[in-house]
Amino acid sequence: MGQAQTFGGAKVALFLGQQLVVILRDEKPGLPYPGHWDFPGGGREGPETAFECMARECAEELGLTLRGEDVMWSRSFETEDGVNWFFVAQLPESAVHGIVFGKEGQRWQLMGVGEYLDHPKAIQRFKDRLRVALDGGLRGFSQESPPLP
């Protein structure tokens, strides 16, 4: 997983089974995208790699541990703020029982891919990045994936 040495942060579209784990952002003044559905992730700390950044943020925000073999797709994206990484990873559906919600955000929820991509409060840049991953051959997932019962 070649990761640029200079980057600002990393996010992960994390599937538990066939559904995404999303976090409803806080509604604090000055916070980007208040009250929007976001993916786990955040800013780089120290010399960590993009994977280490994403995995640390996932552990802090959801209490879940990601390993390299859980990652199905990754890519860097240039933004107005510099380079940021976007990962797609999957854990078994049963990992939902291990979620320990952190101190950032209002709550977490499982959401189908299509539901996230169509949601008016999903962050557009992450919808776009997830579409790139899906269009790039991410197998087993489609934009029309139905929610699990």
Coordinates of all heavy atoms in Angstrom, one line a residue, residues 10-23 38-41 54 58 61-62 64 66 70-75 85-91 111 113 116-117 125-134 138 141:
A10 N -6.7 10.9 6.9 CA -7.2 9.7 6.2 C -8.6 9.3 6.8 O -8.9 9.5 7.9 CB -6.3 8.5 6.5
K11 N -9.5 8.8 5.9 CA -10.8 8.4 6.2 C -11.0 6.9 5.7 O -10.3 6.5 4.8 CB -11.9 9.2 5.5 CG -12.0 10.6 6.0 CD -12.8 10.7 7.3 CE -13.0 12.1 7.7 NZ -13.9 12.2 8.9
V12 N -12.0 6.2 6.3 CA -12.2 4.9 5.9 C -13.7 4.6 5.8 O -14.5 5.0 6.7 CB -11.6 3.8 6.9 CG1 -12.2 4.0 8.3 CG2 -11.8 2.4 6.3
A13 N -14.1 4.1 4.6 CA -15.5 3.6 4.4 C -15.4 2.2 5.0 O -14.9 1.3 4.3 CB -15.9 3.7 3.0
L14 N -15.9 2.0 6.2 CA -15.8 0.7 6.8 C -17.1 -0.1 6.7 O -18.1 0.4 7.3 CB -15.4 1.0 8.3 CG -15.3 -0.3 9.2 CD1 -14.3 -1.3 8.6 CD2 -15.0 0.1 10.6
F15 N -17.0 -1.2 6.1 CA -18.1 -2.1 6.0 C -18.1 -3.1 7.2 O -17.0 -3.7 7.4 CB -18.1 -2.9 4.7 CG -18.4 -2.1 3.5 CD1 -17.5 -1.4 2.7 CD2 -19.8 -2.0 3.0 CE1 -17.8 -0.7 1.6 CE2 -20.1 -1.3 1.9 CZ -19.1 -0.7 1.2
L16 N -19.2 -3.3 7.8 CA -19.4 -4.4 8.7 C -20.4 -5.3 8.0 O -21.6 -5.0 7.8 CB -20.0 -3.9 10.0 CG -19.2 -2.9 10.8 CD1 -19.8 -2.7 12.2 CD2 -17.7 -3.4 11.0
G17 N -19.9 -6.4 7.4 CA -20.7 -7.2 6.5 C -20.9 -6.4 5.3 O -19.9 -5.9 4.6
Q18 N -22.1 -6.1 4.9 CA -22.4 -5.3 3.7 C -22.9 -3.9 4.0 O -23.3 -3.2 3.1 CB -23.6 -6.1 2.9 CG -23.2 -7.4 2.4 CD -22.2 -7.3 1.3 OE1 -22.4 -6.6 0.3 NE2 -21.1 -8.0 1.4
Q19 N -22.8 -3.5 5.2 CA -23.3 -2.1 5.6 C -22.1 -1.2 6.0 O -21.2 -1.7 6.7 CB -24.4 -2.2 6.6 CG -25.6 -2.8 6.1 CD -26.8 -2.4 6.9 OE1 -26.9 -2.9 8.1 NE2 -27.7 -1.6 6.5
L20 N -22.2 0.0 5.8 CA -21.2 1.0 6.2 C -21.5 1.5 7.6 O -22.6 1.7 8.0 CB -21.3 2.2 5.3 CG -20.8 2.0 3.9 CD1 -21.3 3.2 3.0 CD2 -19.3 1.9 3.8
V21 N -20.4 1.7 8.4 CA -20.5 2.4 9.7 C -20.3 3.9 9.4 O -19.3 4.3 8.9 CB -19.5 1.9 10.7 CG1 -19.6 2.6 12.0 CG2 -19.5 0.4 10.8
V22 N -21.3 4.7 9.8 CA -21.2 6.1 9.6 C -21.4 6.8 10.9 O -22.1 6.3 11.9 CB -22.2 6.6 8.5 CG1 -21.9 6.1 7.2 CG2 -23.6 6.3 8.9
I23 N -20.9 8.0 11.0 CA -20.9 8.8 12.3 C -21.6 10.1 12.0 O -21.2 10.8 11.1 CB -19.5 9.0 12.8 CG1 -18.9 7.6 13.2 CG2 -19.5 9.9 14.1 CD1 -17.4 7.7 13.5
D38 N -20.6 11.1 8.4 CA -19.2 11.0 8.0 C -18.7 9.6 8.2 O -19.3 8.8 8.8 CB -18.5 12.0 9.0 CG -17.1 12.3 8.6 OD1 -16.6 11.9 7.5 OD2 -16.4 13.1 9.3
F39 N -17.5 9.4 7.7 CA -16.8 8.1 7.9 C -15.8 8.3 9.0 O -15.3 9.4 9.2 CB -16.1 7.7 6.6 CG -17.0 7.3 5.5 CD1 -16.8 7.8 4.2 CD2 -18.0 6.3 5.7 CE1 -17.7 7.4 3.2 CE2 -18.9 6.0 4.7 CZ -18.7 6.5 3.4
P40 N -15.4 7.2 9.6 CA -14.3 7.3 10.6 C -13.0 7.8 10.0 O -12.7 7.5 8.8 CB -14.1 5.9 11.1 CG -15.3 5.2 10.7 CD -15.9 5.9 9.5
G41 N -12.3 8.6 10.7 CA -11.0 9.1 10.2 C -10.7 10.5 10.7 O -11.5 11.1 11.4
M54 N -5.5 6.2 9.8 CA -6.9 5.8 9.6 C -7.2 4.8 10.7 O -8.3 4.8 11.3 CB -7.0 5.2 8.2 CG -8.4 4.5 7.9 SD -8.5 2.7 8.5 CE -7.3 2.0 7.4
C58 N -10.0 5.1 13.6 CA -11.1 4.2 13.7 C -11.2 3.6 15.2 O -12.3 3.4 15.7 CB -10.9 3.0 12.7 SG -12.3 2.0 12.5
E61 N -12.6 6.4 17.4 CA -14.0 6.8 17.2 C -15.0 5.7 17.4 O -16.1 5.9 17.8 CB -14.1 7.4 15.8 CG -13.3 8.7 15.6 CD -13.3 9.3 14.2 OE1 -14.0 8.7 13.4 OE2 -12.6 10.3 14.0
L62 N -14.5 4.4 17.1 CA -15.5 3.3 17.2 C -15.0 2.1 18.0 O -15.7 1.2 18.2 CB -15.7 2.8 15.8 CG -16.5 3.7 14.8 CD1 -16.4 3.2 13.4 CD2 -17.9 4.0 15.3
L64 N -12.8 0.0 17.2 CA -12.6 -1.1 16.3 C -11.1 -1.1 15.8 O -10.6 -0.1 15.5 CB -13.5 -1.1 15.1 CG -15.0 -1.3 15.4 CD1 -15.8 -1.1 14.2 CD2 -15.3 -2.6 16.1
L66 N -8.4 -2.2 13.0 CA -8.3 -2.6 11.6 C -6.8 -3.1 11.4 O -5.9 -2.5 11.9 CB -8.6 -1.4 10.7 CG -10.1 -1.1 10.6 CD1 -10.3 0.2 9.8 CD2 -10.9 -2.2 10.1
D70 N -7.6 -6.1 6.3 CA -9.0 -5.7 6.3 C -9.3 -4.7 5.2 O -10.4 -4.4 4.8 CB -9.4 -5.1 7.6 CG -9.3 -6.1 8.8 OD1 -9.6 -7.3 8.6 OD2 -8.9 -5.7 9.9
V71 N -8.2 -4.0 4.7 CA -8.3 -3.0 3.6 C -8.5 -3.6 2.3 O -7.7 -4.5 1.9 CB -7.1 -2.1 3.6 CG1 -7.1 -1.1 2.5 CG2 -7.0 -1.4 5.0
M72 N -9.5 -3.2 1.6 CA -9.9 -3.7 0.3 C -9.5 -2.8 -0.9 O -9.4 -3.2 -2.0 CB -11.4 -4.0 0.1 CG -11.9 -5.0 1.2 SD -13.6 -5.3 1.0 CE -14.4 -3.7 1.1
W73 N -9.3 -1.5 -0.5 CA -9.0 -0.5 -1.5 C -8.5 0.8 -0.8 O -8.9 1.1 0.3 CB -10.3 -0.2 -2.3 CG -10.2 0.7 -3.4 CD1 -10.0 0.4 -4.7 CD2 -10.3 2.2 -3.5 NE1 -10.0 1.5 -5.5 CE2 -10.2 2.6 -4.8 CE3 -10.5 3.1 -2.5 CZ2 -10.2 3.9 -5.2 CZ3 -10.6 4.5 -2.9 CH2 -10.4 4.8 -4.2
S74 N -7.5 1.5 -1.4 CA -7.1 2.7 -0.9 C -6.5 3.6 -2.0 O -6.1 3.1 -3.0 CB -6.0 2.5 0.2 OG -4.9 1.9 -0.4
R75 N -6.6 4.9 -1.8 CA -6.1 5.8 -2.8 C -5.9 7.2 -2.1 O -6.7 7.6 -1.2 CB -7.1 5.9 -3.9 CG -6.5 6.8 -5.0 CD -7.5 6.9 -6.2 NE -7.4 8.3 -6.6 CZ -8.2 8.9 -7.5 NH1 -9.3 8.2 -7.9 NH2 -8.1 10.1 -7.9
W85 N -5.9 10.6 2.3 CA -6.1 9.2 1.9 C -7.6 8.8 2.2 O -8.2 9.2 3.2 CB -5.1 8.3 2.6 CG -3.8 8.3 2.0 CD1 -2.8 9.2 2.1 CD2 -3.4 7.3 1.0 NE1 -1.8 8.9 1.3 CE2 -2.1 7.7 0.6 CE3 -3.9 6.2 0.5 CZ2 -1.3 7.0 -0.3 CZ3 -3.2 5.5 -0.4 CH2 -1.9 5.9 -0.8
F86 N -8.1 7.9 1.3 CA -9.4 7.3 1.5 C -9.2 5.8 1.4 O -8.6 5.3 0.4 CB -10.4 7.8 0.5 CG -11.8 7.4 0.7 CD1 -12.6 8.0 1.7 CD2 -12.3 6.4 0.0 CE1 -13.9 7.6 1.9 CE2 -13.7 6.0 0.2 CZ -14.4 6.6 1.1
F87 N -9.7 5.1 2.4 CA -9.6 3.6 2.4 C -11.0 3.0 2.4 O -12.0 3.7 2.9 CB -9.0 3.1 3.8 CG -7.5 3.5 3.9 CD1 -7.1 4.8 4.3 CD2 -6.5 2.6 3.6 CE1 -5.8 5.1 4.4 CE2 -5.2 2.9 3.7 CZ -4.8 4.1 4.1
V88 N -11.1 1.8 1.9 CA -12.3 1.0 2.1 C -11.9 -0.3 2.7 O -10.9 -0.9 2.3 CB -13.0 0.7 0.7 CG1 -14.2 -0.2 0.9 CG2 -13.4 2.0 0.0
A89 N -12.5 -0.6 3.8 CA -12.1 -1.8 4.6 C -13.4 -2.6 5.0 O -14.5 -2.0 5.0 CB -11.3 -1.4 5.9
Q90 N -13.2 -3.8 5.4 CA -14.4 -4.6 5.8 C -14.0 -5.5 7.0 O -12.9 -6.1 7.0 CB -14.9 -5.5 4.6 CG -16.1 -6.3 5.0 CD -16.6 -7.1 3.8 OE1 -15.8 -7.6 3.0 NE2 -17.9 -7.3 3.7
L91 N -14.9 -5.5 7.9 CA -14.9 -6.4 9.1 C -16.1 -7.3 9.0 O -17.1 -6.9 8.4 CB -14.8 -5.6 10.4 CG -13.5 -4.9 10.7 CD1 -13.7 -4.0 11.9 CD2 -12.3 -5.8 10.8
M111 N -25.5 1.9 7.6 CA -26.2 2.4 6.5 C -25.8 1.6 5.3 O -24.6 1.3 5.0 CB -25.8 3.9 6.4 CG -26.8 4.7 5.5 SD -26.3 6.5 5.5 CE -27.0 7.0 7.0
V113 N -25.1 1.1 1.3 CA -24.3 1.9 0.4 C -25.2 2.9 -0.4 O -24.9 4.1 -0.4 CB -23.5 1.0 -0.7 CG1 -22.8 1.9 -1.7 CG2 -22.5 0.1 0.1
Y116 N -26.4 5.7 1.8 CA -25.4 6.7 2.1 C -25.2 7.6 0.8 O -25.2 8.8 1.0 CB -24.1 6.1 2.5 CG -23.0 7.1 2.8 CD1 -23.0 7.7 4.0 CD2 -22.1 7.5 1.8 CE1 -22.1 8.7 4.3 CE2 -21.2 8.5 2.1 CZ -21.2 9.1 3.4 OH -20.3 10.1 3.6
L117 N -25.1 7.0 -0.3 CA -24.8 7.7 -1.5 C -26.0 8.7 -1.9 O -25.8 9.7 -2.5 CB -24.5 6.8 -2.7 CG -23.2 6.0 -2.6 CD1 -23.1 5.0 -3.7 CD2 -22.0 7.0 -2.6
R125 N -17.9 14.9 -0.7 CA -16.5 14.5 -1.2 C -16.3 13.0 -0.8 O -15.7 12.3 -1.6 CB -15.4 15.3 -0.6 CG -15.1 15.1 0.8 CD -13.8 15.8 1.3 NE -13.8 17.2 1.0 CZ -12.8 18.0 1.3 NH1 -11.7 17.5 1.8 NH2 -12.9 19.3 1.0
F126 N -17.0 12.5 0.3 CA -16.8 11.1 0.6 C -17.8 10.2 -0.2 O -17.4 9.1 -0.5 CB -17.0 10.9 2.1 CG -15.9 11.7 2.9 CD1 -16.3 12.4 4.0 CD2 -14.6 11.7 2.5 CE1 -15.3 13.1 4.7 CE2 -13.7 12.5 3.1 CZ -14.0 13.2 4.2
K127 N -18.9 10.7 -0.6 CA -19.8 10.0 -1.5 C -19.0 9.8 -2.8 O -19.0 8.7 -3.4 CB -21.1 10.8 -1.8 CG -22.0 10.8 -0.7 CD -23.4 11.2 -1.1 CE -23.8 12.6 -0.9 NZ -25.3 12.8 -1.3
D128 N -18.4 10.9 -3.3 CA -17.6 10.9 -4.5 C -16.5 9.8 -4.5 O -16.3 9.1 -5.4 CB -17.1 12.2 -4.9 CG -18.1 13.3 -5.2 OD1 -19.3 12.9 -5.5 OD2 -17.8 14.5 -5.2
R129 N -15.8 9.8 -3.3 CA -14.6 8.9 -3.2 C -15.1 7.4 -3.1 O -14.5 6.5 -3.7 CB -13.8 9.3 -2.0 CG -13.1 10.6 -2.2 CD -12.3 11.1 -1.0 NE -11.9 12.4 -1.3 CZ -11.2 13.2 -0.5 NH1 -10.8 12.7 0.7 NH2 -10.8 14.4 -0.8
L130 N -16.2 7.2 -2.4 CA -16.8 5.9 -2.4 C -17.2 5.4 -3.8 O -17.0 4.3 -4.2 CB -18.0 5.8 -1.4 CG -18.6 4.4 -1.2 CD1 -17.6 3.4 -0.8 CD2 -19.8 4.6 -0.2
R131 N -17.8 6.3 -4.6 CA -18.1 6.0 -5.9 C -16.9 5.6 -6.8 O -16.9 4.7 -7.6 CB -18.9 7.1 -6.6 CG -20.3 7.2 -6.2 CD -21.1 8.2 -7.0 NE -22.5 8.4 -6.6 CZ -22.9 9.4 -5.8 NH1 -22.1 10.3 -5.4 NH2 -24.2 9.4 -5.4
V132 N -15.8 6.3 -6.6 CA -14.6 6.0 -7.3 C -14.1 4.6 -6.9 O -13.8 3.8 -7.8 CB -13.5 7.0 -6.9 CG1 -12.1 6.6 -7.4 CG2 -13.8 8.4 -7.5
A133 N -14.2 4.2 -5.6 CA -13.8 2.9 -5.2 C -14.7 1.9 -5.8 O -14.3 0.8 -6.3 CB -13.8 2.8 -3.7
L134 N -16.0 2.1 -5.8 CA -17.0 1.1 -6.4 C -16.8 1.0 -7.9 O -16.8 -0.1 -8.4 CB -18.4 1.6 -6.0 CG -18.8 1.5 -4.6 CD1 -20.1 2.2 -4.3 CD2 -18.9 0.1 -4.1
L138 N -14.2 -2.4 -6.8 CA -14.4 -3.0 -5.5 C -15.5 -4.0 -5.6 O -16.6 -3.8 -5.8 CB -14.8 -1.8 -4.5 CG -14.9 -2.2 -3.1 CD1 -13.5 -2.6 -2.5 CD2 -15.3 -0.9 -2.3
F141 N -19.7 -5.2 -3.7 CA -20.5 -4.1 -3.2 C -21.0 -3.3 -4.4 O -20.4 -3.2 -5.4 CB -19.7 -3.1 -2.3 CG -19.1 -3.8 -1.1 CD1 -17.9 -4.4 -1.2 CD2 -19.9 -4.0 0.0 CE1 -17.3 -5.0 -0.1 CE2 -19.4 -4.7 1.1 CZ -18.1 -5.2 1.1

